Amino acid sequence: MADYPDDFLTHILKRTKVVAVVGVSMNPVRPSYYVARYLSLKDYKVVPVNPGHAGKTLFGQTVRASISEISEPVDMVDIFRRSEAVPPIVDEALAAFPNLSTIWMQIGVEHAGAAAKAQARGVDVIMNRCPKIEYQRLFGELRLGGFATGVISSKL
C-alpha cells in the first residue's frame, strides 16, 4: 500500500465537495454503495456513475452512465473498478473536468500509468485506499466504533 502523509489525505478530504463515484452499486451491501452513502452523509455531493443503473436515483442524485454525462464541476473521482479499467476513466475525467483536484482509486485498485498522466496535469492521485476509511481514521470516527482505541476487549 502506498504511503500517503496524513496531512495530504486530510487536505484532500477537506477541500473536496463533489465526488463522482464510478462503479457505484445500487445494492446496499456492496462497498461502493456504503462508501458513497457515507460520503453523502458527510455532506459531500455524490454523483453516482454506473451505466447499468443510469437514470435511477441514488442519494438524491441521478445515476449517470458515464463521467461525460456530468455537467457540474467535480472535485474528486472515486474509482470502484478493476485496475485495468482505470486508464479510460482517468482520460474521461481529465477531459470532462478541467479543474479536477483528485483521482481516488479504491482499495485494490492501482494503475501507475494513469496516475502519472493525472499527476502530470496537476491532479492529486490516491491509489489502493478508501476515502471512507481515511475520513473515519483522520477525523476520529473509528474511535466511536471501538476501533483504534488501543484497548482490546469483548465489551463495548
Side-chain angles (χ1 to χ4, degrees), residues 8-32:
F8 176 65
L9 296 172
T10 300
H11 173 70
I12 288 171
L13 292 169
K14 284 184 175 181
R15 77 177 179 205
T16 299
K17 305 296 180 218
V18 181
V19 181
V21 181
V22 178
V24 70
S25 175
M26 300 290 284
N27 184 341
V29 301
R30 299 293 304 262
S32 62

Side-chain angles (χ1 to χ4, degrees), residues 32 57 61 66 86 99 105 108 119 127 151-152 154:
S32 62
T57 302
Q61 297 291 319
S66 67
V86 168
N99 296 318
M105 299 179 216
Q119 289 167 330
M127 295 189 287
V151 176
I152 299 173
S154 62

Side-chain angles (χ1 to χ4, degrees), residues 54-105:
K56 296 178 184 175
T57 302
L58 190 62
F59 316 121
Q61 297 291 319
T62 301
V63 179
R64 317 297 167 79
S66 67
I67 288 172
S68 61
E69 290 185 7
I70 302 171
S71 58
E72 66 261 37
V74 167
D75 302 310
M76 180 168 81
V77 173
D78 184 13
I79 303 174
F80 271 97
R81 297 289 314 278
R82 287 182 280 202
S83 296
E84 59 268 18
V86 168
I89 294 168
V90 169
D91 289 344
E92 187 178 16
L94 293 174
F97 312 121
N99 296 318
L100 182 66
S101 301
T102 309
I103 296 284
W104 194 302
M105 299 179 216

